[in-house]
Amino acid sequence: MFLENINSPGDLKQVPLVKLPELASEIRSRILEVVSANGGHLASSLGAVELAIALHYCLDVPSDKIIWDVGHQSYAHKILTGRNKDFSSLRKFQGLSGFPCKNESGCDPFTTGHSSSAVSLALGLALARENLNPPQQYKVVAVIGDGSLSGGLCFEGLNNAGHIKKDIAIVLNTNEMSIAPNVGAISNYLNKIISTPVYNRFHESLENLIKSRFPKGSRLLRLVNKFEEALKGLFIPGMFFEEMGFRYFGPFDGHNLGTLIPAFKKILAIKGPILLHVVTKKGKGYLPAEKDPVRFHGTGPFDVATGNPAQAGFLQPRKTYTEVFSGKMLELAQKHPELIAITAAMPEGTGLDKFRDAFPGRFFDVGIAEQHAVCFAAGLAKQGLVPVVALYSTFLQRAYDQLIEDIGLQEAAVVLAIDRAGIVGEDGPTHQGIFDISFLRGIPNFVVMAPKDARELEAMLELAIGLKKPVAIRYPKSWVADNLPSLSALEVGKAEILSVGRDFLLVALGSMVYSAWEAVKILEKDGINGTLVNARFVKPLDAPALKKLSCAVNLICTLEEAVIDGGFGSLVMEQIDKPVKRMGLPDEFIPCGKRAELLDKYGLSPKQIAAQIRLWLK
């Protein structure tokens, strides 16, 4: 057993090279043990075990810097950097984050969770070395995946890094392409040659000789470099990166530590921007994840022996909002041939996988490119089609400029289906969808809605595709409420009154209507009766109704599953001339934990809502 003795990257280096495959096996077992109990990003983390070992074996972390793009492949990195003893708390409330976290370890330079930012962050760290006083010496490595390359920010970083020629290493980990034919004898031989110190000293000396002896030697130097590029281009798929200013090495078998570590040691010593290409297998070492890496990308608890979900065999009492959206999209597509569905690398997560299978010609997965998804949808809408863009709230943030310039300004009839709006739970601060109300409510021409239950989500989708306006519908990662009354038909800008009382007015939005309903029933048992309003709309707000209702009470309060600052409660405050008490999330990033735990922590459970109203009434 090696793992129990590793509490830092320094301990890792005491393990003999020939024993590292045994360590890799132990790490995989540890990851399986924890993720099967807690859920998490399994397939990508299993695939990156040897890569994490090789990087820490060759670098001096935390002095050297590793930035894991997205970070859902970083479990082995966490285990190797002193967090193995706490790894059982992964994704639990007050436990370890499922992503790199700057507050957990000095080995995590940044808290990451969104794709395509690693190259830009790494370049900033690399450039900082020479501008610090005194200057510092450390290596900087960004680990990106093939998914990262579908995001424009990654290319912006690569373009800039290749241009300014600072020492930076990019590890490109691909797992959707075959190693053959390039990882063969010729490719290995060429990589061995061009990565050796002797070759690179010769390469550098030749450049210096040409520059010093030949006044017009730049042409000759270009010919020398072109010869090397042409030679590599015969066998190695790296010409694209070479043209961007990087020296390309690979592809390497990302699970062969005997090849990976010697190559990394030599290549990481080379000056300038370099790119190391490794090929790995998602789910490596666990057959169910190898066979179905999509399902095991982000998984809930499961049985290790079978790979089946831990709750298999139990009847789920209610559908999720995502499932309701998925079913309604299929129904609408049958009636409306102009309906188009778009997502950004999340067909299963958003529920559009069924739409994809039923209407492949009307479904578009644009990759991790939310800006493009929204802008692309605007073009479709311009010609009379009805695009529905399904994104997680946290990822919609990446397309903010497009929401303003290409949707709002153009009055493009695009429907945004905003999944995971509010607290999402175990994925933590990088994934909580708590800012969308604040950043959407200020954009002209938008209609912004939030359903209280399944029937209202279906009605909102029907309404949205017929409005011919920009529409956003936000809904949470949770089961739908199934016992709320529907007392009025859905109409743009009109709220719904669910109960009437003289003690207080409670205006709740979307996912919080059910909690508000339960809180009102708790208060009724104490003889406290209030008016409960299901707001339905953020834009346009039903201000006339709220103003009229507020005249009859002394306590007015709002309830939302989002940040309070600049949110729904703030909007109500702007419309009513009386004081308004707001309930929602504070001005802070929300940690990981189960949704119910976090709602309770921030006072948004029914009992706590009732207690807060009772306190305000005193």
Side-chain angles (χ1 to χ4, degrees), residues 252-494:
F252 298 100
D253 182 347
H255 301 298
N256 188 337
L257 287 164
T259 300
L260 216 52
I261 289 175
F264 275 21
K265 283 184 176 179
K266 290 183 290 186
I267 295 168
L268 290 171
I270 296 171
K271 300 293 184 182
I274 58 175
L275 187 137
L276 300 85
H277 180 186
V278 301
V279 180
T280 60
K281 186 174 185 63
K282 276 192 172 182
K284 176 72 173 177
Y286 182 56
L287 192 58
E290 289 184 12
K291 289 183 175 180
D292 193 356
V294 173
R295 183 168 80 82
F296 283 96
H297 169 73
T299 178
F302 62 94
D303 176 54
V304 175
T306 64
N308 294 329
Q311 310 232 330
F314 290 91
L315 180 65
Q316 301 293 0
R318 291 171 286 173
K319 287 184 176 181
T320 64
Y321 280 90
T322 303
E323 289 170 334
V324 173
F325 166 77
S326 177
K328 189 62 178 180
M329 283 292 289
L330 288 175
E331 178 188 321
L332 291 171
Q334 297 281 0
K335 302 175 184 176
H336 301 276
E338 71 278 15
L339 187 67
I340 305 292
I342 303 168
T343 192
M346 300 298 288
E348 287 78 16
T350 59
L352 285 180
D353 52 333
K354 293 181 175 62
F355 188 104
R356 173 198 62 199
D357 298 340
F359 304 97
R362 294 158 60 185
F363 169 81
F364 298 92
D365 182 350
V366 302
I368 305 174
E370 290 81 6
Q371 290 175 277
H372 167 61
V374 172
C375 203
F376 168 51
L380 293 169
K382 183 70 174 179
Q383 293 304 103
L385 296 174
V386 181
V388 177
V389 185
L391 300 171
Y392 290 5
S393 173
T394 185
F395 300 136
L396 180 62
Q397 296 163 187
R398 298 155 63 96
Y400 188 52
D401 185 60
Q402 284 64 44
L403 293 175
I404 297 172
E405 297 295 319
D406 303 303
I407 303 297
L409 180 61
Q410 314 304 329
E411 299 183 68
V414 173
V415 179
L416 298 170
I418 308 174
D419 202 334
R420 271 64 165 179
I423 291 173
V424 300
E426 292 88 345
D427 280 340
T430 58
H431 282 62
Q432 311 287 14
I434 60 176
F435 303 107
D436 53 80
I437 295 174
S438 298
F439 68 68
L440 284 169
R441 57 165 286 211
I443 305 177
N445 298 322
F446 261 87
V447 172
V448 182
M449 300 183 264
K452 72 176 189 295
D453 57 18
R455 286 171 294 185
E456 207 158 77
L457 174 55
E458 291 174 334
M460 287 180 176
L461 280 167
E462 288 214 39
L463 178 67
I465 66 171
L467 277 182
K468 306 302 180 185
K469 295 188 66 174
V471 177
I473 307 172
R474 75 183 305 263
Y475 47 92
K477 181 185 181 182
S478 73
W479 306 108
V480 294
D482 59 359
N483 60 347
L484 289 171
S486 290
L487 302 179
S488 61
L490 186 68
E491 184 181 346
V492 176
K494 297 297 182 181

Side-chain angles (χ1 to χ4, degrees), residues 190-191 194-196 199-200 228 232 236 238 242 247-252 267 270 273-278:
L190 282 174
N191 278 300
I194 64 179
S195 65
T196 57
Y199 175 84
N200 282 283
E228 180 188 310
K232 292 157 73 175
I236 306 171
E242 296 273 355
R247 295 199 63 195
Y248 172 92
F249 301 91
F252 298 100
I267 295 168
I270 296 171
I274 58 175
L275 187 137
L276 300 85
H277 180 186
V278 301

Side-chain angles (χ1 to χ4, degrees), residues 68-81:
W68 299 86
D69 198 71
V70 186
H72 56 224
Q73 75 282 51
S74 63
Y75 292 174
H77 161 78
K78 285 178 175 278
I79 288 170
L80 292 168
T81 52

Side-chain angles (χ1 to χ4, degrees), residues 585-596:
L585 297 169
D587 181 23
E588 63 185 60
F589 290 102
I590 308 302
C592 62
K594 293 186 182 299
R595 184 169 180 268

